Amino acid sequence: MVGVDGGGSRTVAVVCDAAGEVWGVGGAGPSNHRNAGLFRAVRAVETAVRRALDQAARRWRARRGAAAPPRGGGRARAPPGGA
């Protein structure tokens, strides 16, 4: 699961499994479209989510000692202890 908290000063994204274990956290600049503009707001959300997913993938590899989960196409595997 991915959750995003965006606002006028910063954006934070969190990746967690179904049990609620946090796998990655990423941050970026403001994502309030009224203050930052639509383009910058979308870019901030995209950047925060990408950073959180990258951190989750690194943690996955460290824990599994294997290749990262597939990106797009193919079937994704659930994280250890996950759904």
Side-chain angles (χ1 to χ4, degrees):
M1 291 180 258
V2 176
V4 178
D5 178 18
S9 60
R10 66 182 176 145
T11 304
V12 177
V14 177
V15 175
C16 68
D17 61 22
E21 182 178 357
V22 174
W23 284 80
V25 178
S31 59
N32 181 319
H33 70 282
R34 291 181 186 203
N35 296 339
L38 184 60
F39 181 79
R40 284 184 60 203
V42 169
R43 178 175 271 169
V45 170
E46 180 182 51
T47 299
V49 169
R50 182 176 297 123
R51 288 175 178 169
L53 289 170
D54 287 345
Q55 187 180 73
R58 285 191 304 271
R59 186 167 176 213
W60 172 282
R61 284 191 300 268
R63 203 178 259 197
R64 300 272 301 177
R71 284 188 134 184
R75 295 181 64 149
R77 293 172 284 173

